[in-house]
Structure formats: C-alpha cells, structure tokens
Amino acid sequence: MRPDPSAVRTVVCAGTGVIGGGWVAYFLARGYDVVAWDPAAGAEERLRHLVDAAWPALTELGLAEGADRSRLTFEPDLARACARADFVQESAPEDLDLKRRLLADIDAATPAGVVVSSSTSGYPMTDMQTECATPGRTVVGHPFNPPYLIPLVEVVGGKLTDDDVVAWASDFFRLAGKSVITMEHEVPGFIANRLQEALWREALHMVASGEATVEQIDLSITDGPGLRWPIHGPMMTFHLAGGQGGMAHMLDHFGPSLLAPWTRLTAPELTTGLRDAVVEGCEREAEGRTIDDLVAERDRGVIAVLRALGRA
Amino acid sequence: MRPDPSAVRTVVCAGTGVIGGGWVAYFLARGYDVVAWDPAAGAEERLRHLVDAAWPALTELGLAEGADRSRLTFEPDLARACARADFVQESAPEDLDLKRRLLADIDAATPAGVVVSSSTSGYPMTDMQTECATPGRTVVGHPFNPPYLIPLVEVVGGKLTDDDVVAWASDFFRLAGKSVITMEHEVPGFIANRLQEALWREALHMVASGEATVEQIDLSITDGPGLRWPIHGPMMTFHLAGGQGGMAHMLDHFGPSLLAPWTRLTAPELTTGLRDAVVEGCEREAEGRTIDDLVAERDRGVIAVLRALGRA
C-alpha cells in the first residue's frame, strides 16, 4: 500500500519557516519534486530567499542528479498540495493544538498509505495524532537546524503509529542521505534536544545569576568541548578522559565528583546497573578500537576541524 | 618581582596524568623547557608514552622554534622541580585535601613571585589555597582534554589571589597560544564544565531510565548539534534558530516552550532582565554581523567540518 521508500518522487513540505524551508532546500538538492505550503503572508518569498541562500552550500556539497530549484512548487491550498504527496514533512510552529489540527487536515488530504512526518522539536506523536482519521501513518522525523546541512533525524512513532511506518520513515530518511536515530520509546524532546536543552538551560541560569556573560558561554563551547563533539559524543569523550582505563576507570574513580555542584542538574545515583550500562555501551560503541586508537582519532579530528575553520 | 609572561622559559608540571601530561606535551611544543613531577609508580614512562603519542599532532600543527622533546626533564623531587620554575601548572587528581597540601608544598618550594596555576576541573581556588604561605600567586588555569589541542583555558582567582596574578596568568596563557576566558567570579565548575556537565548528567539520567542508549546519545551529538558547536556556541546557535528576528524573536515567541519538560533541569524564569541580557549579549557578540551573515558563516563552517572529517 505504501510506496517503497526508494519510489518517492514528490515531497510535500507543510510549513516553510526556518526548519520547513530548510527541508525544502534539502529535498530539492536530493533531486525530489517539492510542493510547499505555508499560510503565512509573504511565505513564498521568504522560502525562495532561504532556498537561494542555501543553494551554494548544497551545490558545493554535491547535488543529486536532476536536482533543480525549478522543481519547487508553492501551492497555497493544503489539500491540493497533499494530494500530490509520496511523503509529507510537517514543520508548523511549535503549538500543540495547531499541530493536532494541521496533521488531521494533512491526513484527510493525503493519499492512503503515504507517510506523514512531523518536524516537532519535542511533542510526542501520541499527543499530536489524536485528531487524525488514520493516525497509523504519522511519525516524528525531527531534524536539526539547518536541515539542509545537519545530518541527524530522530524518528519515533506514537501509540497509534503502525510499526512499519517507523521503519519506513527511517529507511526513507537514510535513502535521502540523512543520519537516522530510530527511537524505541517516546521521550519529550527526543534525545539530542534533551541534551542540548540541559546545556542551554544551565547557560540561561548562569546569565541570570551573573556567573557568565553570553560571550563567555559561547567561547567556552566553541574553543572548548565544542571542538570534540563533532568527533566523539559526550560518552566517548569521557571514555577518553579516564586514560587507559576508559569509562570504567572514569566512573569508578571519579564517581563521587559526579555529585559535585558543577551544574544545577542533580546527578543520578551511580548504581552498579548504570555504571555497567555506560561502560558496556562505550565498549560496544568503540567496536574494538583501543583507547590509543580513539585518542589518535580524536586528535586527527580536532586538528582537521581547527584547520577547516582556519584556526590552526 | 614576577617575571614578565614573555620571559618564562621553564614550566614545571606537577602531576602528569592525562591532563598534566597533555600540558607537558603542549609546553614542549611551544618551545619551553619542562620539568615534570609525578609521584605515581611508572609515571615517567606513561608520560613519555603520552608525549610521543601527541607529538605527531603537535608537529603537524607546527612546533615553536627550538621545541624539542629532549627539553623534558622528569624530576622525582617536587622541591627540586619547583626550584627551577618560571611558572607552575598543577594537575593532580581531583581531591581537595590532596590539592591543598600539594599547592602548599609547591608554594613553599617555588621562587617568590612565580605564579602557580591549578588545572582543577571545578574546585574554587579559594578552597584550595588555604594552606599556602603565599596564596596570592595561586590561580586556576583550567584546560580541556587534550590540553595540547583544545585552545580553551579558564582563568580565575580565589579570595586571596592577587589581582595582578589573574591578569598575569591570562597574559601568559595567551602568549603560549591559548584561548583564554578570564572569569570575574568564582563558580564551581567554571563555565564550560557547568555546561557540559549539565549535558552529561542528562545523558546519564537517560541511560539510567532506558530512554536512550550510549550509542544513540553519542550519535545524537556528533551528527546533530555537535556539528554547530565548533562554529557558534549555544547562544549564537539559538540566535539563528529565531530566523531574521534572532534571539529576541526566539525568546519572545518560544519563551513558553522553555518550560516544556525537555530536560530534567528546570528552566529559569524568563524575566525581562534575563531576556534583555541574552538578547543584548547576542548583539554584542555578533558585532554587526546580520543574521544572513551568521547563517552563511555557520553553513561554511558546518560544510568545512563535515569535509574535514570525511563526512561530506
């Protein structure tokens, strides 16, 4: 009933602000026909400005065969737009009622079986699919700004989402060139936003209390841990902070400092179960790379990043 | 009484684990004589392994004139090591009592006026300088792992630190090639560690509760927000998430979602004062760059990072 993910030709983008417009640019660059809809005054003009601004970057990265900005159609009527969809990506403002109604309208106008994905930054699909006649085809496909450059998409279904839709969306995004995390559980904010929101909230607290300025906060990241994070995530980073003993050494010896007042977020209790889950996760992720291998990989990466940004 | 920061020839590194050893490699590469001390069994051998492992990276980045690994001396006697210092960097394990005693011993053995800096990841110098006979010369100079590649050093004094020592240490680290944040206030964990600890703690909570695996957490950063953070910190990142309206639009329109349960850390109240401090900080930091300028800068940066890491 659903088209094969590789058979998708036309993507409908509903909502074309910073995120939705970024999706439009991305899907155009990957060689899709894109039908865009947005009810805001001046939306089409802003969208074309955004696509034009993104196009040099996308061209430099390499366009798919046949990719062309002329394959963008702006359609003022939502039902007419959706009627053409092989896949729908919704990127409306973060307003739960609005998204509920819009997803129901999209669902009513989109051919049976076609998957409808939402860019929501944090609402569980369970809370958004409530008004849909066929909620089984709705799924979260959460991108990062700008969607035309950042590879990550987090895919997760709601209670009424069909199992095969989560798999279908994951396959489709991967075919379209994205890096996909398929989540087993609905978590408000998904994964990356929970992590970056914790950092952002701590930063806001620090500004509010006069502990740091906006500029100090940004510099502390761009010239500090931010240089490691494109290479190794927070877990692998601390795996290396433990020296040759890795994460096991780190948790067994520095566990007590987990409780130090280094952030306003209270640390979880470091149970044996949590300790083992983190250590074993790092070992799985390392896939046989030794600490020396990972250190060399990080060093090559940081040097490459510094050089690429003209800072070495 | 103090040597001019540019007159420093010999750096003493007390404690040569992952951080202290990284400092040794860095100072050698910048052309200093380094005297290293560490009481642990096998410390010298581990240090030489670490310096050798770091040297190819440091060579690739460009060694200072005269830089040579043969200018490293391992000195088993702390007092003899300190007697030679133009500058001391202490990198002992994170144990407050140990650091108090060690800083007092260093202070007793180091020529008058020479600045003594601590790599502590979070203790305020006020709490560490209590046993020193001349605490005025002690200061925090907090690096990031690996200190031989990550530019950031956070400099902050304690209650008994002389004002000129904070300035001296900031100047010295800058002359040695570091990116320095000079903090006005003592904050446990300083700035970057408060931020990355908030993220790390949220990650531990997610593993503990089964919301995400170690691998998903790392991938969500390396393929998501981590690609932006070497270019723009968290504040500038959200300045761009607001579209042409920037941070002001972002806070005025998305302020309510600040309260959404997207992380375990509660958000601060978005008072007018906080709103204005963040908006004005972003405008100062942007230094006249428009949103379009910043978007283009981010895009060039993300592309350069993806390419440098072989991912585009």
Side-chain angles (χ1 to χ4, degrees):
Chain A
M1 203 172 67
R2 295 182 221 300
D4 187 82
S6 65
V8 172
R9 292 289 170 270
T10 301
V11 172
V12 170
C13 290
T16 59
V18 170
I19 295 297
W23 272 124
V24 169
Y26 184 74
F27 284 123
L28 287 170
R30 303 317 309 148
Y32 294 94
D33 290 316
V34 177
V35 180
W37 168 86
D38 192 301
E44 180 173 0
E45 189 187 342
R46 279 197 301 279
L47 171 60
R48 294 195 186 273
H49 171 81
L50 190 158
V51 171
D52 288 343
W55 207 251
L58 289 163
T59 304
E60 196 185 332
L61 283 174
L63 301 173
E65 203 182 316
D68 200 307
R69 278 173 287 181
S70 70
R71 293 172 66 185
L72 167 61
T73 308
F74 194 89
E75 169 54 65
D77 185 83
L78 177 64
R80 279 215 262 189
C82 291
R84 296 170 58 184
D86 298 321
F87 173 75
V88 180
Q89 183 74 30
E90 171 273 314
S91 311
E94 287 295 295
D95 173 323
L96 184 56
D97 285 338
L98 188 160
K99 283 198 185 268
R100 273 188 187 140
R101 289 195 307 271
L102 179 58
L103 286 171
D105 290 345
I106 290 170
D107 182 42
T110 300
V114 165
V115 171
V116 176
S117 164
S118 173
S119 297
T120 180
S121 308
Y123 294 125
M125 183 47 84
T126 296
D127 295 345
M128 294 191 293
Q129 67 193 175
T130 53
E131 311 295 321
C132 293
T134 59
R137 56 148 143 203
T138 59
V139 68
V140 167
H142 174 234
F144 288 78
N145 192 36
Y148 56 88
L149 288 183
I150 304 291
L152 186 65
V153 178
E154 293 171 320
V155 175
V156 60
K159 283 212 180 98
L160 301 178
T161 303
D162 296 337
D163 286 344
D164 81 293
V165 165
V166 173
W168 189 99
S170 299
D171 289 346
F172 168 71
F173 284 121
R174 268 192 208 100
L175 279 169
K178 288 295 188 182
S179 172
V180 176
I181 293 180
T182 307
M183 294 175 63
E184 302 284 329
H185 311 290
E186 283 193 294
V187 179
F190 318 120
I191 300 174
N193 269 354
R194 285 199 89 102
L195 300 174
Q196 74 166 346
E197 281 282 321
L199 189 156
W200 158 246
R201 286 177 181 196
E202 183 68 30
L204 285 178
H205 279 291
M206 293 189 81
V207 173
S209 65
E211 292 166 343
T213 66
V214 166
E215 298 97 313
Q216 286 177 324
I217 285 166
D218 276 351
L219 188 65
S220 82
I221 297 296
T222 58
D223 287 21
L227 288 166
R228 302 182 298 220
W229 278 325
I231 300 143
H232 291 146
M235 295 296 184
M236 275 289 129
T237 292
F238 285 122
H239 188 45
L240 301 193
Q244 294 294 330
M247 183 62 88
H249 177 83
M250 160 85 180
L251 291 177
D252 296 342
H253 291 253
F254 305 141
S257 77
L258 260 182
L259 303 174
W262 283 0
T263 162
R264 288 166 173 87
L265 180 56
T266 305
E269 192 195 346
L270 190 60
T271 60
T272 309
L274 175 55
R275 183 264 185 209
D276 291 349
V278 173
V279 170
E280 287 160 19
C282 285
E283 281 163 9
R284 274 198 313 273
E285 189 177 338
E287 291 185 318
R289 289 169 291 177
T290 65
I291 294 287
D292 280 351
D293 293 338
L294 290 164
V295 165
E297 177 178 282
R298 177 200 62 198
D299 286 4
R300 280 194 308 271
V302 171
I303 290 173
V305 168
L306 287 169
R307 284 215 165 138
L309 299 175
R311 290 163 59 189
Chain B
M1 205 173 65
R2 294 182 221 301
D4 188 83
S6 65
V8 172
R9 293 290 169 267
T10 301
V11 172
V12 171
C13 290
T16 59
V18 171
I19 295 298
W23 271 125
V24 169
Y26 185 74
F27 285 122
L28 286 170
R30 302 319 307 149
Y32 294 94
D33 290 315
V34 176
V35 180
W37 168 86
D38 192 300
E44 179 172 0
E45 190 187 342
R46 279 197 301 280
L47 172 60
R48 295 195 185 273
H49 171 82
L50 190 157
V51 171
D52 287 344
W55 206 252
L58 288 163
T59 304
E60 195 184 332
L61 283 174
L63 300 174
E65 204 182 315
D68 200 306
R69 278 174 285 181
S70 70
R71 293 172 66 186
L72 167 60
T73 308
F74 195 89
E75 169 55 66
D77 184 84
L78 177 64
R80 279 214 262 187
C82 290
R84 295 171 57 184
D86 298 320
F87 174 74
V88 180
Q89 184 73 30
E90 171 273 313
S91 310
E94 287 297 293
D95 174 323
L96 185 55
D97 284 338
L98 187 161
K99 283 197 185 270
R100 272 188 189 140
R101 288 194 308 271
L102 178 58
L103 285 171
D105 289 344
I106 291 171
D107 183 40
T110 300
V114 165
V115 170
V116 176
S117 164
S118 173
S119 297
T120 179
S121 308
Y123 294 126
M125 183 47 83
T126 295
D127 296 344
M128 293 190 295
Q129 67 193 176
T130 52
E131 311 296 321
C132 292
T134 59
R137 55 150 144 200
T138 60
V139 68
V140 167
H142 173 233
F144 289 78
N145 192 36
Y148 57 86
L149 288 182
I150 304 290
L152 187 63
V153 178
E154 295 171 319
V155 175
V156 59
K159 283 212 179 98
L160 300 178
T161 303
D162 296 337
D163 286 344
D164 82 294
V165 166
V166 173
W168 189 98
S170 300
D171 289 345
F172 169 70
F173 284 122
R174 267 191 209 99
L175 279 170
K178 287 295 185 182
S179 172
V180 176
I181 293 180
T182 307
M183 294 175 63
E184 303 284 329
H185 311 290
E186 282 193 296
V187 178
F190 318 120
I191 299 174
N193 269 354
R194 287 199 88 102
L195 301 173
Q196 74 166 347
E197 281 282 320
L199 188 156
W200 158 246
R201 288 178 181 198
E202 183 68 29
L204 285 179
H205 279 293
M206 294 189 80
V207 173
S209 65
E211 291 166 345
T213 65
V214 166
E215 298 96 313
Q216 287 177 324
I217 285 166
D218 276 350
L219 188 65
S220 81
I221 296 297
T222 58
D223 286 21
L227 288 166
R228 302 181 300 220
W229 279 326
I231 301 143
H232 291 146
M235 295 296 185
M236 275 289 129
T237 292
F238 285 121
H239 189 45
L240 301 193
Q244 294 293 330
M247 183 60 90
H249 177 83
M250 159 86 179
L251 290 177
D252 295 343
H253 292 253
F254 305 140
S257 77
L258 259 182
L259 302 176
W262 283 0
T263 163
R264 288 167 173 85
L265 179 57
T266 305
E269 192 194 348
L270 191 59
T271 61
T272 309
L274 175 55
R275 183 263 185 210
D276 291 349
V278 173
V279 170
E280 288 160 18
C282 284
E283 282 163 9
R284 274 198 314 273
E285 189 177 339
E287 291 186 319
R289 289 169 293 177
T290 65
I291 295 287
D292 280 351
D293 294 337
L294 290 164
V295 164
E297 177 178 280
R298 177 201 61 199
D299 287 4
R300 279 195 308 272
V302 172
I303 290 174
V305 169
L306 287 170
R307 285 215 163 138
L309 299 176
R311 290 162 59 189

